[in-house]
Amino acid sequence: MISVGKTKQYANVLDKPLSRGRQEVSLSAFAFLFSEVVQYNQTQVDNIADLERRLEDAGYAVGARVLELLCHREKGNRRETRLLGILSFIHSNVWKVLFGKVADSLEKGTEHEDEYMISEKELLVNRFISVPKDMGAFNCGAFVAGIVRGVLDNAGFPAVVTAHFVPIEGQQRPRTTILIKFAEEVLRRESRLG
Amino acid sequence: MPPLTTPKSGDALFASVERVNAELFTLTYGAIVRQLLTDLEEVEEVNKQLDQMGYNIGTRLVDEFLAKSNVSNCADFKETADTIAKTLSYVCPVIAFFTATVAMHHSGTFHALSSANSLGFKMFLGVTATVTNWDAEGTTCSFVLEDNPLVDFVELPDTCQGLQYCNVLSGVIRGALEMVSMKTEVTWVRDMLRGDDAYEMRVKLTKQVPEEYPYKDDD
């Protein structure tokens, strides 16, 4: 047996040095894996809402970990405490790490004070997905909505996050908007902080 | 018969495909493993499901691999069909698939294989796998990974000791090889999550399904 003992052994995952996060895998590897995630979850549900909820749960787990990881690596163990701070952290830092670019836009809802939107022309997870007609408004972006909710929730900003397709004129494929609706307590705290 | 096109190197392949951050991949994989553990409760069932998912991926990934790696094409395949049948029985299935249907071109020269590491791992996961520990018949070999993007940030809790965390990889290999007519059994012999010094998969060729020639839809 040839022993390949280059990599140092760590008893505990926390003892490992934190990687700089530059490693990459092929987009296909991710796309194939994600497609399995969707297909598996589809076998566990009997309606679209449940499927979206399950994808969101999976995303939530990713979001919670991404927040922890990035706070250690990029922000010297500090996390954002203000609403706009955390939103721009998601729009810039989180997006950049996960999807290689900042999100296309971050907007405040015009009708409701507590709503914000992150929009992406072609969301990575939707790239190879075409939703069959009978599945209505189902959007795999629910996974990304889950990531966003995971980051927000664990940073102390509970919110309801959903993904929606928004048609763009002159374009065949709609863009995906991640709608963030913050819990009341978040807005109250925010106004107190002034 | 010489190959019409040279198979690309793993690095060239990896450089030529679109890539995403490995952490997104790792964490997404972690999320699905956690979902499975919650849904299925039994660790054995989770192992099975991960293997099945890998299998599904493998059967599809092989197409992309063959398309992008210049490893083989139909014309050669037909012309060397006889050779394939003879040579593949002793050529390690994984290498035969991952590195080179080169073997087919070279009428089964073994050194062409030993010099090549698994292109597939490089192309899809950006890591290098070493192929080693052949048995005397040349039907069983080991894949050794020192670096495995699936397991970053992972520690197996006491309750999950029976979990084959990376089972998706063995499923991928099994699925991909089945699509090129080789039935294999893949087992994990070393796993760093269990304290070993590397990841090692043992791949055993169990059966060869003869291809049917000629392909009707090609003519």
Side-chain angles (χ1 to χ4, degrees), chain A residues 13 24 27 40 54 127, chain B residues 18-19 39 64 146 155:
Chain A
V13 72
E24 290 180 316
L27 173 62
Y40 165 74
R54 286 189 59 106
R127 190 132 147 216
Chain B
E18 270 193 87
R19 296 177 301 274
D39 293 345
E64 187 187 349
E146 290 174 57
E155 186 174 280

Side-chain angles (χ1 to χ4, degrees), chain B residues 67-140:
Chain B
K68 290 191 176 157
S69 63
N70 292 350
V71 153
S72 173
N73 61 49
C74 256
D76 289 327
F77 208 50
K78 279 183 199 166
E79 289 171 42
T80 51
D82 277 345
T83 328
I84 300 164
K86 277 181 237 145
T87 56
L88 283 192
S89 57
Y90 75 87
V91 165
C92 162
V94 178
I95 305 203
F97 159 63
F98 273 126
T99 64
T101 325
V102 173
M104 302 172 181
H105 300 305
H106 289 293
S107 311
T109 48
F110 226 57
H111 74 274
L113 303 177
S114 57
S115 65
N117 281 335
S118 67
L119 281 182
F121 273 100
K122 188 75 194 173
M123 170 173 168
F124 288 100
L125 297 178
V127 298
T128 311
T130 321
V131 184
T132 175
N133 291 343
W134 295 78
D135 70 347
E137 294 83 47
T139 53
T140 308

Side-chain angles (χ1 to χ4, degrees), chain B residues 154-166:
Chain B
V154 176
E155 186 174 280
L156 281 188
D158 289 341
T159 48
C160 296
Q161 288 305 316
L163 181 68
Q164 299 284 5
Y165 190 84
C166 305

Side-chain angles (χ1 to χ4, degrees), chain A residues 1-9 11-14 16 18-30 32-37 39-41 44 54-55 57-59 61-62 65-66 69-70 73 96-99 124 127-128 143 147, chain B residues 14 17-29 31-32 34-36 39-40 49 52-54 56-57 60-62 64 68 123-127 130 132-133 144 146-147 149-155 168 190 192 195-198 200:
Chain A
M1 187 141 317
I2 298 170
S3 91
V4 195
K6 193 191 76 185
T7 318
K8 205 176 151 199
Q9 293 297 294
N12 188 313
V13 72
L14 295 177
K16 278 193 190 174
L18 202 53
S19 79
R20 280 178 306 157
R22 303 270 162 74
Q23 266 200 315
E24 290 180 316
V25 299
S26 78
L27 173 62
S28 328
F30 176 76
F32 282 130
L33 177 70
F34 186 69
S35 131
E36 284 303 315
V37 171
Q39 289 179 65
Y40 165 74
N41 278 303
Q44 301 292 304
R54 286 189 59 106
L55 284 181
D57 285 348
V62 174
R65 285 159 181 81
V66 165
L69 178 64
L70 296 191
R73 188 160 60 203
K96 196 128 203 224
V97 166
L98 294 183
F99 308 121
L124 186 76
R127 190 132 147 216
F128 301 108
F143 181 74
I147 295 181
Chain B
F14 190 61
V17 296
E18 270 193 87
R19 296 177 301 274
V20 293
N21 181 295
E23 283 164 353
L24 173 65
F25 179 75
T26 306
L27 292 173
T28 303
Y29 184 65
I32 183 68
R34 234 171 300 111
Q35 274 193 327
L36 292 177
D39 293 345
L40 305 173
Q49 180 66 36
Q52 181 60 43
M53 287 171 151
N56 298 344
I57 293 174
R60 274 176 272 153
L61 166 146
V62 65
E64 187 187 349
K68 290 191 176 157
M123 170 173 168
F124 288 100
L125 297 178
V127 298
T130 321
T132 175
N133 291 343
V144 178
E146 290 174 57
D147 200 8
L150 283 180
V151 300
D152 272 346
F153 318 124
V154 176
E155 186 174 280
V168 75
R190 281 190 286 167
M192 281 163 88
D196 296 327
D197 55 355
E200 178 175 346

Side-chain angles (χ1 to χ4, degrees), chain A residues 117-162:
Chain A
M117 290 167 293
I118 294 176
S119 291
E120 189 68 57
K121 220 153 121 196
E122 184 72 78
L123 199 63
L124 186 76
V125 297
N126 274 335
R127 190 132 147 216
F128 301 108
I129 308 265
S130 44
V131 180
K133 285 238 160 28
D134 62 336
M135 286 182 72
F138 169 70
N139 191 329
C140 282
F143 181 74
V144 178
I147 295 181
V148 172
R149 187 167 72 88
V151 172
L152 286 173
D153 204 26
N154 285 277
F157 296 83
V160 176
V161 186
T162 45

